[in-house]
């Protein structure tokens, strides 16, 4: 996903080769849930190019790979935002997995 917005939170922009997936040394916080064949979780990454961040990650249920879909600062406010984003993504996957919202 090279079209993901990568905020710098007031810092200089990271090098162009910024990664979107969490590093092997990232600390998984928790799995938010599974829906539509995917799992959504939170990962703490203190060594990212953006500085210490929380990453909302998404990956197939059947694979070990995940990809960051949102990046929030590693602050109490950032944790709340990351939780909201993760739950919104999870609910979206549930709705799509059920055949969509039923809008005519």
């Amino acid at each position: 996903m090279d079209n993901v917005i990568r905020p710098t939170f007031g810092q200089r922009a990271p090098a162009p080769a910024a990664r979107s997936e969490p590093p092997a040394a990232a600390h998984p916080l928790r799995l938010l849930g599974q829906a539509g064949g995917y799992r959504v979780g939170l990962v703490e990454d203190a060594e990212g190019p953006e500085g210490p961040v929380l990453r909302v990650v998404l990956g197939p249920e059947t694979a070990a790979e995940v990809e960051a879909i949102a990046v929030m600062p590693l602050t109490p406010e950032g944790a709340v935002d990351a939780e909201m984003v993760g739950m919104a993504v999870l609910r979206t996957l549930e709705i799509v997995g059920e055949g969509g919202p039923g809008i005519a």
Side-chain angles (χ1 to χ4, degrees):
M1 287 179 77
D2 59 348
N3 61 346
V4 175
I5 296 172
R6 289 169 178 59
T8 58
F9 306 116
Q11 301 173 6
R12 290 186 168 233
R19 62 176 194 258
S20 63
E21 71 281 345
H27 303 288
L29 292 180
R30 75 173 171 277
L31 178 67
L32 295 175
Q34 300 176 353
Y38 292 92
R39 59 195 152 116
V40 179
L42 297 178
V43 173
E44 181 180 323
D45 183 4
E47 300 175 11
E50 309 90 346
V53 295
L54 286 170
R55 297 183 190 278
V56 180
V57 294
L58 174 72
E61 289 179 356
T62 58
E65 300 88 29
V66 294
E67 186 169 342
I69 56 172
V71 180
M72 306 294 172
L74 188 55
T75 62
E77 295 82 8
V80 170
D81 291 345
E83 179 94 15
M84 287 191 311
V85 168
M87 296 308 288
V89 170
L90 186 60
R91 182 62 184 137
T92 301
L93 289 169
E94 290 172 350
I95 291 171
V96 170
E98 295 169 354
I103 299 172

